[in-house]
Amino acid sequence: MNTLISAIVLATTHLFAGKLRFLKYTPRSRGFSFGSGVSVAYVFIHILPELSQAQVKLQSSLNMVWSFLEHHVYIVALLGLTVFYGLERLAKTSLAESETTGKPTDFFFLHIAAFAIYNVLIGYLLVQRENSNIKGLLLFSFAMALHFVVNDHGLRQHHKRIYDEIGRWLLSIAIIVGWFLGSVTEINQAIVAVFFAFLAGGIVLNVLKEELPEERESCFWAFACGTLSYTILLLAVQ
């Protein structure tokens, strides 16, 4: 029941993130930078150490294929980062083409499909994380909610009205689908670790693409505050 509540809250985040008017102010809202800092802190302080521990504990129980992946979870994280970097470059190219021709491009559905898979994975991990106690669930859910606000803003900038009409609903449904799959299936924890690794790479890229470009007018101090405060919280409750 706790995981279902978290899934509903995360799904609702996509539906209502666009209503947060203060996030639209220029220069870029400090709330975005703070949320990005929280997401990055969660990856480096919680997810990556958990992956390292999973390698040690599970390597002897895996078959040859999954043993290779479990020994190379950081390669999987790099793959996640690379995939979403490629999608971001395609999104910018597609946006430029759309502005030139005045017509929407087909890339929207590919872009949303990729983020829908990303959200299915997050919904699945709500249930199937190795650290499945209520404390771990709350920390994961809070970090992902702030991350979704940042992702939502970037997707809305790329795709404008069609994102509000279609995209955000598909992403919200994807979280619930992921939760459902996690509730009715159970897989080897090594495979869950691989999913976590891919997610970690995707989170890092999706945060940095929103923070680093000069036109974003990001706030370093808000980002640093989010990173530091959530790092302290994660270390305090471990």
Side-chain angles (χ1 to χ4, degrees):
M1 180 60 70
N2 290 330
T3 57
L4 176 57
I5 293 172
S6 293
I8 292 172
V9 169
L10 290 178
T12 304
T13 300
H14 270 304
L15 296 181
F16 293 101
K19 305 295 185 182
L20 302 175
R21 300 298 179 186
F22 70 91
L23 294 178
K24 300 180 180 181
Y25 294 165
T26 302
R28 180 181 174 85
S29 170
R30 290 178 175 84
F32 278 125
S33 295
F34 181 88
S36 296
V38 167
S39 301
V40 167
Y42 188 83
V43 168
F44 282 93
I45 303 302
H46 190 86
I47 294 182
L48 295 185
E50 188 171 290
L51 295 179
S52 179
Q53 294 170 12
Q55 285 188 177
V56 174
K57 290 192 289 187
L58 299 174
Q59 64 184 34
S60 62
S61 65
L62 302 174
N63 62 41
M64 185 176 298
V65 174
W66 289 112
S67 179
F68 173 83
L69 289 175
E70 186 65 13
H71 272 292
H72 296 81
V73 288
Y74 297 107
I75 294 179
V76 178
L78 178 61
L79 174 63
L81 186 150
T82 303
V83 166
F84 280 94
Y85 176 70
L87 286 169
E88 179 65 14
R89 296 305 304 167
L90 285 173
K92 289 186 175 180
T93 301
S94 175
L95 182 61
E97 178 183 339
S98 178
E99 290 175 346
T100 300
T101 62
K103 300 178 180 179
T105 66
D106 295 334
F107 178 71
F108 167 77
F109 293 102
L110 174 62
H111 204 195
I112 293 300
F115 274 92
I117 294 172
Y118 186 81
N119 282 12
V120 167
L121 185 56
I122 291 173
Y124 188 88
L125 291 173
L126 282 172
V127 182
Q128 292 291 337
R129 291 170 307 108
E130 186 175 9
N131 180 14
S132 57
N133 57 48
I134 185 64
K135 179 176 64 177
L137 176 63
L138 289 175
L139 291 170
F140 179 71
S141 299
F142 181 71
M144 292 303 99
L146 293 182
H147 181 54
F148 282 169
V149 171
V150 175
N151 280 354
D152 188 89
H153 180 73
L155 289 167
R156 183 171 286 103
Q157 283 189 320
H158 277 311
H159 301 296
K160 307 296 189 296
R161 188 176 67 181
I162 192 172
Y163 176 75
D164 281 324
E165 293 176 348
I166 301 175
R168 65 190 177 115
W169 292 97
L170 294 177
L171 297 187
S172 296
I173 293 170
I175 297 167
I176 303 300
V177 170
W179 173 86
F180 176 76
L181 291 175
S183 299
V184 299
T185 62
E186 186 171 350
I187 61 176
N188 192 303
Q189 284 295 317
I191 303 176
V192 174
V194 171
F195 288 166
F196 241 141
F198 186 84
L199 176 63
I203 289 174
V204 171
L205 188 281
N206 285 315
V207 166
L208 294 183
K209 75 180 176 63
E210 292 295 326
E211 287 297 311
L212 293 183
E214 184 176 351
E215 66 270 16
R216 295 287 197 252
E217 299 184 77
S218 303
C219 178
F220 167 76
W221 295 112
F223 179 86
C225 182
T227 302
L228 179 61
S229 59
Y230 213 63
T231 295
I232 293 172
L233 176 61
L234 289 170
L235 294 176
V237 300
Q238 282 182 354

